[in-house]
Structure formats: C-alpha cells, structure tokens
Amino acid sequence: MSSEVQENGVPLSPEEKLECITRNLQETLGEEKLLGVLRERDLKVYWGTATTGKPHVAYFVPMSKIADFLRAGCEVTILFADLHAYLDNMKAPWELLALRTQYYEHAIKAMLGSIGVPLDKLTFIKGSEYQLSREFTLDVYRLTSLVTEHDAKKAGAEVVKQVDHPLLSGLLYPGLQALDEEYLKVDAQFGGVDQRKIFTFAEKYLPQLGYSKRIHLMNPMVPGLTGGKMSASEEDSKIDLLDSAATLKKKLKRAFCEPGNTADNGVLSFAKHVLMPLAERHGA
C-alpha cells in the first residue's frame, strides 16, 4: 500500500505520519519504535472488537482513528474477535457466535463507509480463522506455562466481565489477545485505554515466547450519556445504531451536561473525537 498524501500532493514525512497516527490518543507505548518503523516503511496495525453486545455510536471513535491510520499510509487489519466473545463469560453463546459475528461485520463496515473510510484499503479477519490452528493452539499452551493466575486476572480486569467465581475461559482471554499481535504480523495494536493492562501483559510475555514486543496505541474512553462509560449493557448510557429518531432525541435531551464538567460529558467527547476530525477531513 502506498502512503497517503497531503492536499498539496506532498507525501507525509515520518514525523507528520506520527502526528497523524497519535493525535487525540490518550497514550502511546513505544513511540520511539513507532517513529523508527515510519522512517523505514508504513506501519502495520490492527484493531480488534469482540463480537459481544450490539455496536453503538462510541464505535465511531476507533473508526475515526482508523481513517487517520489510513491517511498516514498504515496497513490496517480489523479483527472480529469471535472466540474472545465466547471466552468473556460466554457473552456470545456458541450457537449465536457465527450470526453475531456477521452482524458485527455488516455494522462495522457500514459505519466505516458512512464516514468515508475506503473498505478496499482494510483487511478484515475473524479470530476463528487462525486461532484454532495447530500453531496458535500450541502457543496458547506455551503461554499458560509462563503466565500466573494473578497476571492473567489482572490483565483482563478492565475488559473481561468480573464475577465472584471467574471461569477459566476469562483467564485465557488476555493471552489470546497477546498472541493475535504475532499471528496477524503487525507492528502495533490499537484499542481503548481500558485495554492497557492487556497491552502491558503482551509486552511482558510475547518476548518470553521469542516474539517481539509491539507498539500500543490507546484511545480515551468516551463517556456515556449518563456520565460514566458508554456501555452496551446500560441502555441509557449509549446511542444504539438502530435507535429511532425519537429515541435518539429523548436520550440526548436527558444526557449529562453539567456546566463546567467536560471530563464526563459524552456529547462533547463525541464531538471532539468523531465530529471535529470528520469535519476537518472533509474541509468543513
């Protein structure tokens, strides 16, 4: 894939690509390494989504960053993490896994298309396409011989559903996500800052398997309409992609908008991370 260019036709420099890749991110782990890669070639990066609850409008935040990655000439892979959805306390029952993954694929592609992201420049893959292979399975076993229960539980604390008596499947979740970086042959993984513990877990354990430590790019978490995290399981906190116009209007009227409080304002945050970058790209 050739690098994208600016409006004046001048190719982006490595430093300009770095700025484009990292703008509006909350944190980057491995920025020096990132710049080093950009000075040699285009970055290979992936974003994964577990096919659990229905996608909502907060998914436009990573979609907007994916547009930035493409502008910087990155090779972008989108992973539909179907096995992860099952491992996370069976949020996606086995018998519904294939259908839910299809729904996610249609929804995510429609969201990307709606903001002008060219789908032909993206690679789409399902986790089950390679995570059931002999090689991946052996690496899972190798990883289980190195990882302590404490580290596995800590890594998934912000992502895997926490219950009083956790299933073993939830402890496997961070390890599979770490191995994704190697099997997708990427330089970097992109996700929300809630993934940070899994990212540092991967940085610790992949080198112990003989694999390289990857770069990690983290988006801030967009507050929900009620002030906390926008969650698929909390109806009033989110705007669903299938909400009617009347429901959307009702939710926005009730949204948390305390004067002077910008940190917990989901409407302002959505404008900053989605609407303003979108307007900028389209010259508004």
Side-chain angles (χ1 to χ4, degrees):
M1 181 187 297
S2 61
S3 298
E4 295 293 319
V5 297
Q6 293 179 319
E7 289 181 5
N8 61 8
V10 179
L12 296 175
S13 69
E15 290 73 20
E16 287 169 332
K17 288 182 181 181
L18 177 68
E19 193 281 328
C20 189
I21 290 168
T22 60
R23 71 171 181 166
N24 285 335
L25 292 181
Q26 182 163 327
E27 187 176 4
T28 301
L29 299 177
E31 191 165 318
E32 265 188 49
K33 183 177 180 180
L34 171 56
L35 184 56
V37 171
L38 293 173
R39 283 175 174 157
E40 294 181 4
R41 57 174 172 79
D42 291 333
L43 186 76
K44 297 177 182 178
V45 58
Y46 97 90
W47 173 72
T49 179
T51 53
T52 52
K54 291 186 291 185
H56 46 74
V57 295
Y59 280 63
F60 275 113
V61 177
M63 302 296 105
S64 181
K65 276 310 301 178
I66 287 169
D68 283 341
F69 296 157
L70 290 178
R71 180 172 175 267
C74 298
E75 296 180 25
V76 182
T77 297
I78 292 180
L79 168 67
F80 297 108
D82 48 357
L83 292 187
H84 282 86
Y86 181 71
L87 291 174
D88 188 359
N89 212 42
M90 290 187 290
K91 284 183 181 177
W94 191 261
E95 59 273 14
L96 292 180
L97 209 54
L99 290 173
R100 191 166 289 185
T101 303
Q102 286 178 35
Y103 176 79
Y104 259 73
E105 184 167 358
H106 286 298
I108 296 296
K109 286 182 177 179
M111 292 174 79
L112 289 164
S114 74
I115 60 172
V117 176
L119 299 184
D120 60 334
K121 291 191 174 183
L122 299 167
T123 299
F124 296 91
I125 189 168
K126 298 180 184 71
S128 55
E129 290 179 27
Y130 64 91
Q131 290 168 347
L132 298 174
S133 68
R134 179 180 181 275
E135 294 76 16
F136 192 95
T137 302
L138 286 174
D139 270 343
V140 171
Y141 286 135
R142 289 174 64 206
L143 201 55
T144 60
S145 72
L146 299 171
V147 178
T148 64
E149 179 196 14
H150 171 271
D151 281 2
K153 193 171 182 179
K154 179 183 175 184
E158 302 295 325
V159 177
V160 179
K161 185 177 180 181
Q162 299 300 295
V163 293
D164 290 336
H165 303 288
L167 297 172
L168 181 59
S169 59
L171 298 178
L172 291 175
Y173 188 113
L176 267 70
Q177 187 168 334
L179 288 171
D180 287 339
E181 298 179 348
E182 174 63 25
Y183 280 79
L184 292 174
K185 302 302 177 188
V186 294
D187 306 301
Q189 182 178 174
F190 165 59
V193 74
D194 60 335
Q195 305 271 337
R196 192 183 196 282
K197 290 178 181 176
I198 292 182
F199 291 167
T200 55
F201 172 95
E203 291 187 5
K204 176 180 178 179
Y205 283 106
L206 281 189
Q208 294 186 43
L209 291 176
Y211 301 139
S212 62
K213 184 167 74 171
R214 265 58 178 199
I215 300 155
H216 293 103
L217 310 167
M218 284 166 273
N219 253 348
M221 301 304 294
V222 174
L225 298 179
T226 54
K229 178 182 175 182
M230 191 176 289
S231 170
S233 60
E234 188 182 341
E235 188 61 35
D236 288 340
S237 78
K238 67 184 175 76
I239 295 172
D240 194 275
L241 297 179
L242 303 179
D243 278 348
S244 67
T247 301
L248 173 59
K249 193 172 182 180
K250 181 181 176 182
K251 286 182 177 181
L252 286 175
K253 278 187 174 181
R254 293 162 55 181
F256 177 83
C257 285
E258 182 182 61
N261 184 346
T262 58
D264 298 317
N265 191 316
V267 178
L268 283 180
S269 186
F270 187 79
K272 176 184 177 181
H273 293 285
V274 179
L275 300 182
M276 292 174 73
L278 187 59
E280 181 185 331
R281 283 194 293 273
H282 289 274

